[in-house]
């Protein structure tokens, strides 16, 4: 019988759409149009939306500046958009009676803290690992706790 459940951040909050929108907005300023299906394919293989800019011959310096802008757009979305998944706390409360749970995410710690500030989701978790806490992100399965 299973005793532990590991959640991705998007399993307990609606953030993926806003991260896509932040990437799309920043890339559009470079004249690049990031389509959702293209974004999903890139993310599924562990890539980065910035591959579009690299493939277009845009310099690392410009890409780095746009990444900072993307992070700012994402933070703005996290402050202003609804991130709730209906009934998630009810489900977590019920699961916590039987299982130990944790969140393992590719979100930066600063974003994670903003996403979960005053939401009560982390109260059900034994621990949280953010992208800074391990060497290789998705799709690589190995994490060190």
């Amino acid at each position: 019988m299973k005793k532990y459940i590991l959640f991705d951040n998007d399993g307990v909050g609606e953030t993926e759409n806003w991260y896509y929108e932040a990437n799309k907005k920043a890339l559009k300023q470079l004249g690049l149009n990031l389509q959702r299906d293209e974004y999903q394919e890139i993310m599924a293989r562990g890539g980065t939306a910035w591959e579009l800019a690299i493939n277009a011959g845009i310099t690392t310096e410009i890409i780095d500046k746009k990444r900072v802008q993307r992070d700012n757009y994402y933070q703005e979305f996290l402050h202003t958009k609804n991130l709730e998944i209906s009934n998630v706390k009810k489900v977590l409360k019920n699961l916590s009676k039987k299982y130990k749970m944790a969140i393992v995410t590719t979100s930066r710690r600063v974003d994670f803290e903003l996403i979960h500030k005053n939401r009560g989701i982390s109260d059900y978790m034994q621990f949280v690992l953010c992208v800074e806490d391990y060497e290789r992100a998705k799709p690589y399965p190995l994490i060190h706790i």
Side-chain angles (χ1 to χ4, degrees):
M1 176 181 254
K2 308 283 188 240
K3 296 181 182 180
Y4 304 94
I5 300 173
L6 300 179
F7 288 93
D8 181 59
N9 200 32
D10 294 311
V12 295
E14 181 54 60
T15 58
E16 186 65 31
N17 180 60
W18 303 117
Y19 192 68
Y20 161 72
E21 290 294 337
N23 276 285
K24 182 178 176 177
K25 188 173 180 178
L27 286 165
K28 186 171 185 149
Q29 293 170 349
L30 296 173
L32 302 169
N33 187 19
L34 178 63
Q35 298 294 316
R36 186 173 298 275
D37 59 342
E38 180 179 32
Y39 171 78
Q40 289 173 333
E41 182 274 321
I42 291 168
M43 293 298 112
R45 65 174 163 71
T48 171
W50 298 97
E51 293 170 19
L52 274 73
I54 294 165
N55 293 340
I58 296 171
T59 68
T60 303
E61 182 181 357
I62 291 172
I63 291 172
D64 289 346
K65 287 179 183 177
K66 287 297 173 191
R67 278 186 170 160
V68 170
Q69 281 187 313
R70 183 268 325 265
D71 292 344
N72 291 335
Y73 295 144
Y74 186 52
Q75 292 262 318
E76 178 185 331
F77 291 148
L78 295 178
H79 277 294
T80 61
K81 303 298 183 182
N82 181 10
L83 308 176
E84 297 297 320
I85 295 175
S86 62
N87 295 316
V88 73
K89 287 199 323 193
K90 181 180 176 182
V91 169
L92 293 175
K93 182 177 181 179
N94 288 333
L95 287 172
S96 71
K97 295 173 186 174
K98 229 176 153 178
Y99 302 98
K100 293 181 180 182
M101 298 179 290
I103 297 173
V104 180
T105 178
T106 56
S107 292
R108 299 177 311 154
R109 176 78 52 187
V110 65
D111 295 331
F112 182 88
E113 297 293 335
L114 182 58
I115 292 162
H116 293 284
K117 183 179 179 180
N118 301 321
R119 292 186 61 223
I121 301 293
S122 298
D123 297 343
Y124 296 103
M125 303 300 155
Q126 298 293 311
F127 62 88
V128 171
L129 293 178
C130 292
V131 72
E132 298 92 345
D133 298 323
Y134 48 87
E135 288 183 35
R136 294 175 80 184
K138 295 175 197 171
Y140 303 99
L142 183 61
I143 57 171
H144 297 283
I145 302 171

